[in-house]
Amino acid sequence: HGWSEALAGIRSPHVKYICPHAPVMPVSLNMNMAMPSWFDIAGLSPDSQEDEAGIKQAAENVKTLIDQEVKNGIPSNRIILGGFSQGGALSLYTALTTQQKLAGVVALSCWLPLRASFPQGPISGVNKEIAVLQCHGDCDPLVPLMFGSLTVEKLKSMLNPANVTFRTYSGMMHSSCIEEMMDVKQFIDKHLPPV
């Protein structure tokens, strides 16, 4: 709900915005308390155990959403995936593993999950030329800016580096800001022009 409000402020009339809710599940990092989460998180350090099955299942769920839009007449190359934190991580992972050609990815305050499962060097999939806008606050206490920096380096080694943009925002924590939302709007407008 929060992101649908934020997106309302930058909405373009020819673009459909879909904001799926993460399912509610117990999260290890949160003492197994149930909360909205795309997959389980055991820890916030780069060497923390990752929920491989959960990440892959969540990616399949996103691919199903893409398939539904394609069935509704939207070509997949007119679809941008986007998300914040875990949702951004899921968007990156899905775009790099799907066989559907996409228009782009908006990855906010996030990281690339299962990064060791990707090849060293360029990928050969349908999205090797995909446009990525990655944004991060320089004061993020939950997903440190360093994770964003490492992620953008990995993306630039896998994708055409000219298509990967990394923006940081001074003083921003694990949240968003007007400047970031304007950058997101510009990215969407550029990669989904009216037809």
Side-chain angles (χ1 to χ4, degrees):
H1 289 297
W3 284 99
S4 60
E5 258 172 59
L7 290 168
I10 62 165
R11 198 175 280 273
S12 296
H14 67 281
V15 177
K16 175 181 180 182
Y17 298 80
I18 299 171
C19 299
H21 293 296
V24 172
M25 64 174 70
V27 174
S28 302
L29 185 68
N30 199 19
M31 297 176 295
N32 278 332
M33 281 180 17
M35 60 185 279
S37 191
W38 291 108
F39 48 86
D40 191 25
I41 294 187
L44 291 176
S45 73
D47 53 358
S48 294
Q49 179 72 39
E50 289 187 282
D51 175 15
E52 184 171 353
I55 292 164
K56 289 180 172 173
Q57 181 55 59
E60 288 307 313
N61 296 345
V62 174
K63 290 171 193 174
T64 301
L65 287 175
I66 296 168
D67 286 337
Q68 286 170 344
E69 291 310 304
V70 171
K71 281 194 192 100
N72 293 338
I74 311 253
S76 68
N77 68 353
R78 294 273 304 162
I79 295 174
I80 290 176
L81 295 184
F84 171 78
S85 194
Q86 207 185 28
L90 177 59
S91 296
L92 283 174
Y93 182 82
T94 304
L96 294 174
T97 57
T98 185
Q99 297 313 304
Q100 301 147 311
K101 186 160 174 55
L102 300 170
V105 182
V106 173
L108 309 178
S109 304
C110 67
W111 68 96
L112 176 62
L114 304 179
R115 66 191 180 285
S117 68
F118 292 101
Q120 293 302 314
I123 61 166
S124 58
V126 292
N127 288 313
K128 64 179 184 277
E129 293 290 325
I130 196 167
V132 177
L133 173 63
Q134 196 188 330
C135 302
H136 220 107
D138 67 359
C139 293
D140 191 327
L142 273 185
V143 182
L145 178 59
M146 179 53 110
F147 290 12
S149 303
L150 292 170
T151 296
V152 81
E153 290 314 311
K154 177 76 174 165
L155 292 175
K156 284 183 173 182
S157 75
M158 294 165 59
L159 306 171
N160 179 343
N163 296 340
V164 179
T165 304
F166 187 47
R167 296 238 190 285
T168 59
Y169 304 89
S170 178
M172 190 171 88
M173 297 178 73
H174 197 62
S175 61
S176 184
C177 65
I178 304 276
E179 189 189 349
E180 179 183 58
M181 292 312 290
M182 294 321 291
D183 287 341
V184 170
K185 177 178 174 48
Q186 265 185 331
F187 180 85
I188 293 171
D189 290 346
K190 177 180 176 184
H191 296 286
L192 296 180
V195 283

